[in-house]
C-alpha cells in the first residue's frame, strides 16, 4: 500500500515523497530504488523549472529591449507579454495586465480599446494593417504611431498543419516622419503663396503693357509678350496645383462645384 501511495504521489508530480519500508530485504531494496528515482525526478524537475525560468527571463529582457511598443495576446485575448514602452504609452502597470483579459482592461483604457477594436475588425485578414497614423499623447508630448498586427502561428502536434496561437500588436513610432511631412507641406504652401504674388504682378504688368492706349507693340514685342504670358500662366497653374495639394494634405481643400 505504501508503494502504491508513493507511485500515486509521483504521478501527481509530488517528487518529494520518500518510502521508508523495513523488515523485508526485497521491500527495502524497492524502497531504496524508489527513493533514488524520486530524487532524480526532483533534480530533473528543478533543473527544468530553472531552465524555463531562465528562458522566460531572457525572452522578457529581449521584449523589453525593443524600443517600439509591443503587446502579445493569446487566442482568448489575454495579454501574455507587454514591454515597457507599451506600458508607458498605455499608462498601465505590468501587474495589472499580464494574464488578464485585454478586453476587460480596454473598458477603462481608450487607447487599448481602439487597438483591440481594430484587431477584432480585421480578424479575417490580420495582414490588413492600419494605414492611418495614430496620434498618442505620452511623456508630455504628441507622438504618431503606425499600428501593425501580426498573427502568431505554430506547427501542430501532427507536425504538418499550423495552429494559430495568438496575435501581436506593434506600434511603430513615426513621429519624426510625420514632423518632416508636416514641414514639407508647410514649405510647399509657403512657396506657393510666395510665388503666386510675383507671377500675378507680372501678368498685371503685361496686361498694362498690351493696352493699346499707351502704345501699339510691334510684331517682335508682341511675340515676346505672348511668350511671357504663356509661361507666366503655366507657372501660375503649377503653383495653384501645389497649393491645392497642400490644402488636400492639411484637410482644408474647399470644393467649388
Amino acid at each position: 500500500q505504501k508503494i502504491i501511495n508513493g507511485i500515486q504521489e509521483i504521478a501527481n508530480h509530488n517528487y518529494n515523497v520518500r518510502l521508508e519500508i523495513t523488515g523485508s530485504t526485497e521491500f527495502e531494496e524497492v524502497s531504496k530504488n524508489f527513493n533514488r528515482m524520486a530524487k532524480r525526478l526532483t533534480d530533473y524537475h528543478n533543473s527544468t523549472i530553472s531552465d524555463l525560468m531562465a528562458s522566460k527571463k531572457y525572452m522578457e529582457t529581449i521584449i523589453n529591449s525593443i524600443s517600439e511598443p509591443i503587446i502579445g495576446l493569446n487566442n482568448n485575448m489575454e495579454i501574455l507579454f507587454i514591454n515597457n514602452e507599451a506600458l508607458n504609452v498605455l499608462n498601465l502597470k505590468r501587474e495589472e495586465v499580464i494574464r488578464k483579459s485585454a478586453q476587460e482592461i480596454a473598458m477603462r483604457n481608450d487607447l487599448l480599446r481602439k487597438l483591440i477594436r481594430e484587431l477584432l475588425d480585421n480578424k479575417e485578414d490580420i495582414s490588413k494593417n492600419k494605414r492611418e497614423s495614430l496620434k498618442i499623447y505620452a511623456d508630455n508630448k504628441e507622438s504618431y504611431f503606425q499600428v501593425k498586427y501580426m498573427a502568431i502561428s505554430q506547427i501542430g502536434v501532427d507536425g504538418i498543419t499550423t495552429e494559430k496561437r495568438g496575435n501581436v500588436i506593434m506600434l511603430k513610432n513615426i513621429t519624426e516622419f510625420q514632423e518632416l511631412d508636416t514641414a514639407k507641406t508647410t514649405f510647399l504652401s509657403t512657396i506657393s503663396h510666395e510665388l503666386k504674388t510675383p507671377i500675378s504682378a507680372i501678368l498685371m504688368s503685361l496686361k498694362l503693357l498690351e493696352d493699346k492706349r499707351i502704345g501699339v507693340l510691334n510684331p517682335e514685342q508682341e511675340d515676346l509678350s505672348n511668350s511671357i504670358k504663356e509661361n507666366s500662366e503655366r507657372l501660375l497653374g503649377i503653383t495653384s496645383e501645389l497649393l491645392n495639394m497642400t490644402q488636400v494634405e492639411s484637410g482644408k481643400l474647399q470644393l467649388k462645384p
Side-chain angles (χ1 to χ4, degrees):
Q1 187 62 45
K2 287 182 179 180
I3 293 173
I4 291 172
N5 292 341
I7 291 171
Q8 287 176 342
E9 290 293 328
I10 292 291
N12 292 327
H13 305 290
N14 180 15
Y15 304 126
N16 294 320
V17 65
R18 297 292 184 269
L19 296 181
E20 298 295 337
I21 304 176
T22 58
S24 168
T25 305
E26 289 84 358
F27 278 117
E28 285 182 5
E29 189 65 28
V30 169
S31 178
K32 288 179 183 177
N33 288 328
F34 181 92
N35 293 340
R36 190 180 300 115
M37 175 195 71
K39 184 179 183 305
R40 293 186 66 180
L41 284 171
T42 301
D43 294 341
Y44 176 76
H45 181 69
N46 291 338
S47 168
T48 304
I49 289 178
S50 177
D51 289 343
L52 286 173
M53 291 301 293
S55 298
K56 181 175 179 291
K57 192 171 183 180
Y58 182 66
M59 289 300 298
E60 287 175 349
T61 303
I62 292 175
I63 290 169
N64 281 323
S65 67
I66 298 174
S67 59
E68 307 288 359
I70 180 170
I71 307 167
L73 308 165
N74 62 14
N75 289 332
N76 296 323
M77 298 298 285
E78 294 175 338
I79 297 177
L80 297 179
F81 60 83
I82 182 169
N83 66 352
N84 294 332
E85 283 293 325
L87 289 171
N88 182 44
V89 167
L90 292 168
N91 195 24
L92 293 170
K93 295 180 180 178
R94 189 175 299 278
E95 59 271 16
E96 296 175 347
V97 297
I98 295 298
R99 286 289 175 183
K100 302 288 175 61
S101 170
Q103 289 170 304
E104 290 182 8
I105 299 170
M107 293 176 67
R108 58 182 186 273
N109 190 292
D110 293 339
L111 178 56
L112 184 60
R113 182 164 62 249
K114 191 170 186 177
L115 295 173
I116 295 298
R117 187 168 59 244
E118 290 288 340
L119 177 62
L120 295 174
D121 290 345
N122 294 332
K123 203 168 186 179
E124 297 300 322
D125 187 9
I126 199 65
S127 61
K128 192 183 293 181
N129 294 313
K130 188 174 173 62
R131 294 293 179 186
E132 301 84 8
S133 59
L134 184 64
K135 184 165 70 172
I136 299 173
Y137 190 82
D139 290 334
N140 297 320
K141 65 177 181 179
E142 283 185 348
S143 298
Y144 293 86
F145 292 87
Q146 191 84 38
V147 185
K148 185 175 184 182
Y149 299 98
M150 295 181 293
I152 304 302
S153 301
Q154 186 178 355
I155 299 297
V157 291
D158 59 1
I160 301 173
T161 58
T162 58
E163 299 176 357
K164 186 183 175 185
R165 295 294 184 179
N167 298 292
V168 171
I169 304 174
M170 287 189 69
L171 301 176
K172 182 176 177 59
N173 195 327
I174 57 168
T175 305
E176 180 184 356
F177 304 106
Q178 189 78 23
E179 289 173 349
L180 289 172
D181 189 60
T182 303
K184 179 263 296 179
T185 303
T186 304
F187 173 76
L188 287 177
S189 178
T190 304
I191 287 295
S192 300
H193 277 293
E194 293 297 325
L195 286 176
K196 212 168 182 182
T197 303
I199 294 171
S200 299
I202 291 171
L203 288 172
M204 180 60 70
S205 301
L206 190 62
K207 193 169 184 179
L208 292 172
L209 189 64
E210 291 175 340
D211 192 339
K212 298 189 184 306
R213 289 176 297 176
I214 59 172
V216 179
L217 299 177
N218 62 41
E220 188 177 350
Q221 290 172 333
E222 196 169 341
D223 288 341
L224 289 172
S225 173
N226 290 333
S227 177
I228 293 170
K229 183 179 181 180
E230 182 183 337
N231 285 289
S232 296
E233 287 177 346
R234 190 163 66 119
L235 194 55
L236 187 62
I238 293 172
T239 55
S240 297
E241 288 178 4
L242 282 174
L243 198 56
N244 285 339
M245 188 180 74
T246 58
Q247 289 175 339
V248 168
E249 290 184 347
S250 61
K252 296 178 182 178
L253 181 67
Q254 294 181 349
L255 298 179
K256 297 177 182 177

